[in-house]
Amino acid sequence: TTYIDMPFFFHNFCAKLYPYNKMIQAWKVLEEYVQKGVIRYLGMTSVHDKDHLERLMDDATIRPSIIQNRFHSNRQYDIPVMQEVF
């Protein structure tokens, strides 16, 4: 193929490894590649903070097609986060 199907953007919102402005700046670059046809879809992984996810959904031109999380009992399987956002 001549495209990347779906890169997963890893940002551990729980640990807050990067400031939000840096994360959205990188997301916008990936959006440009989607618009050029180099990337088909965008995904995210390790999203455990609903406020950050809602902010991304508001600020992104292209929303994540897939959110991949590991579900653990110590985080109540992230059900509260996903129910409030979706």
Side-chain angles (χ1 to χ4, degrees):
T1 62
T2 60
Y3 59 86
I4 298 170
D5 193 41
M6 181 184 306
F8 278 88
F9 189 92
F10 175 82
H11 182 76
N12 190 333
F13 287 126
C14 247
K16 303 210 179 11
L17 297 174
Y18 302 102
Y20 179 80
N21 64 327
K22 293 291 187 185
M23 189 277 305
I24 195 66
Q25 182 180 9
W27 187 264
K28 294 292 184 184
V29 170
L30 292 173
E31 288 180 334
E32 290 176 19
Y33 284 102
V34 171
Q35 292 167 352
K36 292 176 184 176
V38 176
I39 295 174
R40 289 183 64 190
Y41 306 102
L42 296 177
M44 295 202 72
T45 184
S46 299
V47 181
H48 304 291
D49 183 306
K50 79 170 187 70
D51 295 330
H52 283 272
L53 183 57
E54 285 176 341
R55 190 171 172 190
L56 172 75
M57 296 294 207
D58 289 341
D59 294 343
T61 303
I62 300 170
R63 292 178 168 192
S65 297
I66 292 178
I67 297 174
Q68 175 185 319
N69 282 354
R70 290 178 57 194
F71 295 101
H72 297 281
S73 61
N74 65 335
R75 286 197 301 256
Q76 300 172 332
Y77 301 100
D78 290 330
I79 291 171
V81 172
M82 295 303 140
Q83 283 179 333
E84 291 186 38
V85 174
F86 299 101

